[in-house]
Amino acid sequence: MNEDLLFNEAPGGPPRYSHLSNKPVQYLTVADRRGQVIGYVWANDEDDAAGWAVRKAGGDGAFNEGSVWAIKLHDAKARGIAPTAALAEMIQESDPTRSSHVVPGSLTEAPNADVVRRLADPI
């Protein structure tokens, strides 16, 4: 009862896009039903990278809803889809009647993923 628990990281796990890219990325703006921006989904094919950047000003609701967009990315990677193709799917499948959706016409390019992260959480 007094021994430390040992956790050994198991290799493998589900496939994931890289969360790092210093190259130009494409990104989408995601809003809630009221039209408030809750975050951004970004992607870069060259680095096989993609991620979700929550807008911290969106509060707990934005954080919680972000799991939907992160899961969409995980599912796309598991199906072998290129990161920017995953963004295209998100645009096509977006439904403004759901709790969150892609803002129409929001596909934009940024110099790198850090720019998108700073957009989500300005200092």
Side-chain angles (χ1 to χ4, degrees), residues 4 6 12 24 27 30 35 43 57 62 75 85 87 92:
D4 290 335
L6 298 176
Y27 70 93
V30 177
D75 289 347
L87 294 185
Q92 188 172 9

Side-chain angles (χ1 to χ4, degrees), residues 10-71:
R16 304 259 193 239
Y17 294 118
S18 173
H19 66 278
L20 302 172
S21 181
N22 289 321
K23 297 179 177 76
V25 298
Q26 293 181 2
Y27 70 93
L28 299 170
T29 303
V30 177
D32 64 15
R33 277 194 189 121
R34 296 170 297 156
Q36 299 296 314
V37 175
I38 62 168
Y40 306 90
V41 184
W42 61 267
N44 171 280
D45 289 344
E46 191 175 348
D47 288 334
D48 195 37
W52 163 256
V54 66
R55 187 168 175 260
K56 293 192 177 159
D60 292 342
F63 179 82
N64 293 337
E65 192 61 27
S67 65
V68 170
W69 298 91
I71 288 169

Side-chain angles (χ1 to χ4, degrees), residues 61-103:
F63 179 82
N64 293 337
E65 192 61 27
S67 65
V68 170
W69 298 91
I71 288 169
K72 288 177 186 276
L73 288 174
H74 298 319
D75 289 347
K77 178 62 176 175
R79 291 183 286 126
I81 294 179
T84 58
L87 294 185
E89 277 188 354
M90 291 177 193
I91 293 169
Q92 188 172 9
E93 296 171 358
S94 186
D95 180 353
T97 65
R98 294 196 178 184
S99 56
S100 62
H101 64 278
V102 173
V103 173

